[in-house]
Amino acid sequence: MKAKNLYCLLALGAAGLAMSSNVSAQEVVEESFSVTEFSCDNTNRYYQSWRNNWFIQLGAGINQPFVERGNAEAQAPGHAVRRENMTVTYNVGVGHWFSPYLALRFNALGGALHWDNPIQQGQSGWSKAKHVNLNAELMWDMCNSIAGVNPDRVVSVVPFVGVGGDYTWGLANDPGTNGVVGNSGHFRNSTWTLPVTAGVQFRFRLCKVVDFFAEARASFYGDNWNGCTYGRPIEANVAAVGGFNFNINGRTWKSFNECQSMAQLASLNNEVNTLRAENLAQAQAIAALENQKPATQVIEKDCPDIPLLASVRFTINSDKIMPTEEVNIYNMAQWLKANPNQKVVICGYADKDTGTAEYNKELSKKRADVVYNVLTQKYGINPNRLDVKYDGSAVQPYSTNDWNRIVIFSTK
């Protein structure tokens, strides 16, 4: 410790002892403090940086449209599962797992389409087109939700639903020349539609950054999807796709258990109370000795902010004072009342592992403000004796980041 800081500590200590002897000139009365009981939810909560758990999907498969299911089904069953109607489809997607349970994926599929047009009489009615389908899909990791979070799980089942847009072009519908449709305008060369999609993906973990997936999906369209409005109002395209997911930075999550943290804080708080009781006993002995001596002359010096023992800890992403920390604010209020000439700096912090610098700056301010409000409004401390500072995550008082969710008191 530098000589200047040591001198300041001795000066402050002497000031406190002299003041206590001058104010009461008797004995220091010991007060007992109790820690409020609390309850917590003993479950793991997961969080991550926004940079993690992105993935890119590449795949291919087959699809078949189901269209024009009308009165002519028996003549030309265009809605049946037929090998000649199956065509290749290509798939690319990008997504982000916001939690171990939910992800948002932007997924594109495209390729050729083949189907039979059932409105033809005595003709094959062969039709074809090309299309591209882009969807925003919400994905649910059913295994993590039911069996617990496990980033190393070999097989996962992931249902999904979504909405999007489909552009179909190159429609080659042949209305024939028998007068069934003629030039009535039922056929178009291209269409825009808004499909609804649902399906399920089976994911097989190959390594930390690569998964193989197999996916069954169905997209549902309005009757004009293939440029022909005939028969039932809903048309569909069913696809089976396989390929690979490439997980950027792997699939990792950080966890937080409130009960474990509360137990650690309660244990540390008990240690602090024990040390405080020992300090109180020493203060009584020193006060008795000081009563036998002349009052000490105190020379005022400009001193830097000196940290005090008291502090107030917070849980992750919170500015709410926990019951176990209320005793520390109470102790600080009693110290301020016993030392009426002392001023205190209240400085808030946040850990740098979570949130942006701007967000942490605001969070540390809220933490410092809530402690300030309790001291002034609940315990009646003069606001002029308190200075509020907030360093966010730019300053980390502790090497373990979890301990930097804190408000620290220092003398002014």
Side-chain angles (χ1 to χ4, degrees):
M1 180 180 292
K2 295 182 179 179
K4 183 179 180 181
N5 288 343
L6 178 60
Y7 181 80
C8 291
L9 284 173
L10 293 174
L12 287 173
L17 292 175
M19 197 164 295
S20 62
S21 61
N22 291 336
V23 172
S24 60
Q26 284 93 23
E27 59 179 355
V28 179
V29 179
E30 181 177 0
E31 297 185 20
S32 61
F33 309 105
S34 61
V35 178
T36 306
E37 294 295 331
F38 63 90
S39 60
C40 59
D41 181 10
N42 190 20
T43 58
N44 289 331
R45 292 176 170 83
Y46 296 90
Y47 62 97
Q48 63 161 345
S49 168
W50 66 269
R51 300 180 181 88
N52 295 334
N53 295 315
W54 288 86
F55 65 91
I56 298 173
Q57 175 179 310
L58 298 174
I62 58 173
N63 63 187
Q64 177 179 326
F66 293 86
V67 297
E68 273 66 74
R69 300 178 63 179
N71 296 328
E73 290 174 346
Q75 300 178 19
H79 62 281
V81 177
R82 302 177 64 183
R83 182 181 301 176
E84 56 267 29
N85 288 353
M86 296 181 182
T87 54
V88 176
T89 186
Y90 301 95
N91 167 232
V92 61
V94 60
H96 184 218
W97 287 94
F98 294 96
S99 74
Y101 317 106
L102 295 175
L104 179 64
R105 176 179 69 177
F106 292 96
N107 198 32
L109 296 96
L113 300 171
H114 292 170
W115 68 92
D116 286 341
N117 192 334
I119 68 170
Q120 301 292 335
Q121 294 184 4
Q123 301 183 35
S124 65
W126 181 259
S127 300
K128 61 182 179 179
K130 296 180 180 179
H131 85 121
V132 172
N133 185 347
L134 177 62
N135 290 303
E137 298 168 350
L138 181 66
M139 307 180 74
W140 172 48
D141 192 319
M142 187 170 64
C143 295
N144 276 349
S145 298
I146 297 175
V149 176
N150 180 6
D152 299 325
R153 182 174 282 111
V154 176
V155 180
S156 299
V157 181
V158 185
F160 60 88
V161 295
V163 295
D166 185 290
Y167 178 61
T168 304
W169 74 97
L171 293 164
N173 292 303
D174 182 8
T177 58
N178 55 12
V180 175
V181 176
N183 297 321
S184 61
H186 282 278
F187 295 105
R188 300 176 60 187
N189 291 326
S190 63
T191 60
W192 284 96
T193 48
L194 301 175
V196 176
T197 301
V200 60
Q201 181 184 95
F202 297 90
R203 190 177 63 208
F204 303 89
R205 186 178 189 270
L206 301 181
C207 65
K208 181 179 179 181
V209 296
V210 181
D211 301 326
F212 173 78
F213 74 90
E215 181 174 303
R217 56 188 297 121
S219 298
F220 302 93
Y221 302 82
D223 193 28
N224 66 324
W225 174 45
N226 66 336
C228 178
T229 56
Y230 176 83
R232 298 183 183 179
I234 300 297
E235 297 177 343
N237 187 35
V238 176
V241 180
F244 298 93
N245 282 330
F246 300 93
N247 306 306
I248 301 174
N249 296 328
R251 186 175 288 113
T252 58
W253 303 95
K254 296 180 180 180
S255 63
F256 167 74
N257 188 301
E258 183 182 27
C259 286
Q260 292 178 358
S261 298
M262 295 301 100
Q264 293 175 0
L265 291 176
S267 175
L268 291 171
N269 194 71
N270 289 335
E271 293 181 14
V272 170
N273 284 338
T274 300
L275 293 172
R276 189 174 289 114
E278 294 175 358
N279 289 339
L280 183 60
Q282 295 295 328
Q284 291 175 338
I286 294 173
L289 293 174
E290 288 296 325
N291 287 334
Q292 302 174 10
K293 298 179 179 180
T296 303
Q297 182 179 2
V298 179
I299 302 175
E300 294 186 357
K301 295 288 183 178
D302 293 333
C303 300
D305 295 348
I306 302 175
L308 297 172
L309 182 62
S311 61
V312 183
R313 298 189 180 277
F314 295 82
T315 58
I316 186 171
N317 194 31
S318 173
D319 59 353
K320 182 179 179 181
I321 298 174
M322 296 180 293
T324 53
E325 297 300 304
E326 293 176 357
V327 64
N328 294 332
I329 303 179
Y330 172 83
N331 291 340
M332 178 51 60
Q334 299 306 309
W335 185 87
L336 286 167
K337 292 178 181 178
N339 298 273
N341 293 331
Q342 287 291 334
K343 293 184 178 182
V344 168
V345 177
I346 304 170
C347 189
Y349 300 90
D351 70 283
K352 66 181 179 181
D353 276 357
T354 56
T356 62
E358 294 78 8
Y359 180 84
N360 288 337
K361 188 81 170 180
E362 182 63 24
L363 179 59
S364 66
K365 181 180 184 301
K366 292 180 180 178
R367 289 170 173 171
D369 287 343
V370 72
V371 173
Y372 171 87
N373 292 336
V374 172
L375 285 172
T376 57
Q377 298 174 14
K378 183 176 181 179
Y379 295 112
I381 302 301
N382 188 338
N384 294 330
R385 300 178 61 192
L386 304 174
D387 288 337
V388 177
K389 295 173 57 180
Y390 40 94
D391 289 338
S393 56
V395 177
Q396 300 286 273
Y398 298 99
S399 59
T400 301
N401 289 325
D402 291 350
W403 285 95
N404 292 308
R405 306 163 189 151
I406 195 170
V407 165
I408 297 179
F409 298 102
S410 57
T411 59
K412 186 67 176 177

